[in-house]
Amino acid sequence: MNNRFVVILAAGQGTRMKSRLYKVLHSVCGKPMVQHVVDQVSQIGVEETVVVVGHGAELVKEQLGDGITYVLQEEQLGTGHAVMQAEALLKDKEGVTIVLCGDTPLITKETMESLILFHEEQNAKATILTAKTEDPTGYGRIVRDSQGAVQRIVEHKDATSDERMITEINTGTYCFDNAALFAALKHVGNNNVQGEYYLPDVIEILQGQDELIAAYQTASFEETLGVNDRVALASAEAIMKNRINEAHMRNGVTIIDPQNTYIGAEVIIGMDTIIKPGTILTGKTVIGHECEIGPNTEIINSYVGNQTTIKQSVVTDSEIGNDVNVGPFAHIRPNSQISDEVKIGNFVEVKKSSFGKGSKASHLSYIGDAEVGNDVNLGCGSITVNYDGKNKFLTKIEDGAFVGCNSNLIAPVTIGKNSYIAAGSTITNDVPENALAIARERQTIKNEYITKLKEK
Ligand code: UD1
Ligand code: CA
């Protein structure tokens, strides 16, 4: 097997995106496009991955991290010029170089493998990954001779009207013999409509030297979609979404309505979990087995245990245990830890709080900056009053405490173990263990008051 090197082109601004964000950093299913490409590459086993950066170089590097060699293309003079930036690194190395674009997020490792294999079988100097499409607008076209041998690639903008009829396109992914690639690049000029040094021109140059050029046509045009604008970005999103949903279903997750289920590229879901319509799972979310999630639920960057139900709710940056019931209409905000067998019911907001095993806040509560022990019952309308307009304070509610309905717990305050808070209390002082706290006006009765009032 040949040594394999990879060059990923990611230096462009992406003018057609009309965006302040650099093109290759736009996300598809929550993951930047160039990261999708790098993640696939990292699964095929390569000696070195070189990413050509330019616009937004620092941000791209920050996104992709270590384990990659970066080369800077200071001026974006074209894709050929971009590959040239890797010359010093790669030209003396023996093997093949796979060139990929950072804006083709759907390309798979299987297709890369097939391309390399085909290149090696054909003993070619260059192999182009091509695809057929009914609407090739914008893509480079593959020009073949009458025998079907590849002659060159012509860019859409440079193509004659006849050439524009060609439906076989250049996907922007290639496999080259290393030495041949860098030798040919030296001869690439910029005499074309865009005044750029085109990488595809290498094909005509090698062809002119009687080198063998191969084309590996993939059956899936979809997979090679190049994202140049927001319309293509939405197409890529739809395709990736289907791919992700299908993978989860094949792994034993029930998705009731895949069209209306949005799962990020990095989300993990256990077997026999059921995802109901309108659910959005993003970031590094992990969901255990046999859960019921949704309908209409958004879970962002959170961990959910097994056999947990979350309905019509939003969960962000939090951890939820096993056999937990959340919702409908609950909001679990960042840095919350919800232990096993907890119930967070309707219209309950939890923020930066922990709930011990078996505790319940079943209805209409705000629990913020609180440490709630085990088996605590927070009655309907329990409120932690955590903010004085300037600072946030902690509320501690110890194991077994029972907080009556419509109580205000004015933080900082501790509600002792097994204590009771009478409904309607406003608690300003700590409550000792096993005590009953009543903090409200006593009721007075004025007999026949209304009768007398009406007589007046
Ligand atoms: C390119 C191909 C075209 C092919 C299509 C497939 C060329 C000249 N054309 O066109 O044949 O059908 O991809 O999607 O190669 N880039 C740099 N530096 C540069 C210019 C571009 O790093 O100086 C990067 C961009 O960030 C992008 C990639 O190269 O990731 C492709 O560039 P782009 O401008 O999108 O090329 P296309 O017009 O799509
Ligand atoms: Ca492109």
Side-chain angles (χ1 to χ4, degrees), residues 133-153:
T133 169
E134 277 166 26
D135 181 13
T137 310
Y139 289 94
R141 309 295 208 284
I142 307 297
V143 180
R144 294 176 183 261
D145 66 12
S146 52
Q147 268 83 55
V150 175
Q151 298 297 297
R152 58 193 174 92
I153 297 171

Side-chain angles (χ1 to χ4, degrees), residues 114-395:
S114 306
L115 172 71
I116 300 166
L117 199 69
F118 188 80
H119 175 84
E120 289 171 346
E121 279 169 7
Q122 299 286 310
N123 215 357
K125 283 283 189 256
T127 304
I128 313 158
L129 180 69
T130 75
K132 282 215 164 176
T133 169
E134 277 166 26
D135 181 13
T137 310
Y139 289 94
R141 309 295 208 284
I142 307 297
V143 180
R144 294 176 183 261
D145 66 12
S146 52
Q147 268 83 55
V150 175
Q151 298 297 297
R152 58 193 174 92
I153 297 171
V154 60
E155 286 307 294
H156 179 93
K157 286 182 180 155
D158 299 290
T160 62
S161 53
D162 274 356
E163 286 166 340
R164 286 188 184 180
M165 304 286 277
I166 300 172
T167 55
E168 187 184 14
I169 60 116
N170 168 27
T171 66
T173 300
Y174 323 74
C175 184
F176 293 103
D177 171 86
N178 243 8
L181 168 65
F182 291 105
L185 271 175
K186 289 200 169 30
H187 303 289
V188 171
N190 65 351
N191 184 17
N192 51 55
V193 171
Q194 302 189 78
E196 288 184 358
Y197 296 88
Y198 292 162
L199 175 63
D201 285 359
V202 159
I203 300 301
E204 191 175 4
I205 292 163
L206 291 173
Q207 212 282 331
Q209 295 166 357
D210 279 335
E211 299 289 8
L212 182 65
I213 310 297
Y216 175 74
Q217 197 183 97
T218 163
S220 165
F221 166 69
E222 241 188 32
E223 200 187 294
T224 64
L225 182 80
V227 175
N228 294 326
D229 60 21
R230 309 261 182 169
V231 176
L233 186 67
S235 304
E237 180 86 18
I239 296 163
M240 185 67 82
K241 178 186 102 170
N242 289 340
R243 203 189 269 178
I244 291 170
N245 285 349
E246 196 177 316
H248 286 294
M249 291 187 277
R250 297 209 183 279
N251 280 335
V253 176
T254 294
I255 300 180
I256 305 284
D257 183 358
Q259 279 313 307
N260 287 300
T261 301
Y262 305 83
I263 304 176
E266 287 166 305
V267 173
I268 298 170
I269 309 175
M271 228 163 57
D272 288 321
T273 282
I274 299 173
I275 310 287
K276 296 185 175 171
T279 294
I280 305 173
L281 308 175
T282 62
K284 297 202 187 303
T285 292
V286 176
I287 301 201
H289 52 75
E290 295 158 275
C291 291
E292 273 188 55
I293 309 293
N296 303 324
T297 290
E298 184 169 11
I299 303 180
I300 303 144
N301 256 328
S302 295
Y303 175 89
V304 177
N306 304 320
Q307 288 156 335
T308 283
T309 299
I310 305 180
K311 291 182 176 169
Q312 272 113 339
S313 292
V314 177
V315 178
T316 310
D317 294 315
S318 290
E319 277 173 40
I320 296 177
N322 304 321
D323 303 294
V324 172
N325 251 289
V326 176
F329 313 112
H331 188 186
I332 299 184
R333 292 171 50 199
N335 296 313
S336 296
Q337 292 91 36
I338 313 295
S339 305
D340 297 350
E341 294 163 42
V342 163
K343 179 168 164 54
I344 305 292
N346 34 205
F347 307 107
V348 173
E349 176 177 344
V350 176
K351 186 218 101 181
K352 204 179 180 184
S353 294
S354 59
F355 271 69
K357 188 172 176 191
S359 290
K360 293 186 170 70
S362 300
H363 339 262
L364 297 154
S365 287
Y366 171 68
I367 307 298
D369 302 302
E371 286 173 27
V372 178
N374 300 329
D375 299 310
V376 166
N377 194 318
L378 297 167
C380 175
S382 298
I383 307 285
T384 55
V385 184
N386 60 331
Y387 186 48
D388 64 3
K390 228 177 163 184
N391 296 302
K392 302 271 167 72
F393 299 96
L394 185 72
T395 302

Side-chain angles (χ1 to χ4, degrees), residues 346 348 360-367 376-384 397 401-409 415 419-427 436-441:
N346 34 205
V348 173
K360 293 186 170 70
S362 300
H363 339 262
L364 297 154
S365 287
Y366 171 68
I367 307 298
V376 166
N377 194 318
L378 297 167
C380 175
S382 298
I383 307 285
T384 55
I397 306 171
F402 182 100
V403 176
C405 290
N406 210 36
S407 297
N408 298 308
L409 310 176
I415 310 300
S419 63
Y420 269 53
I421 308 296
S425 292
T426 294
I427 300 293
L436 167 66
I438 310 174
R440 65 182 185 224
E441 190 79 340

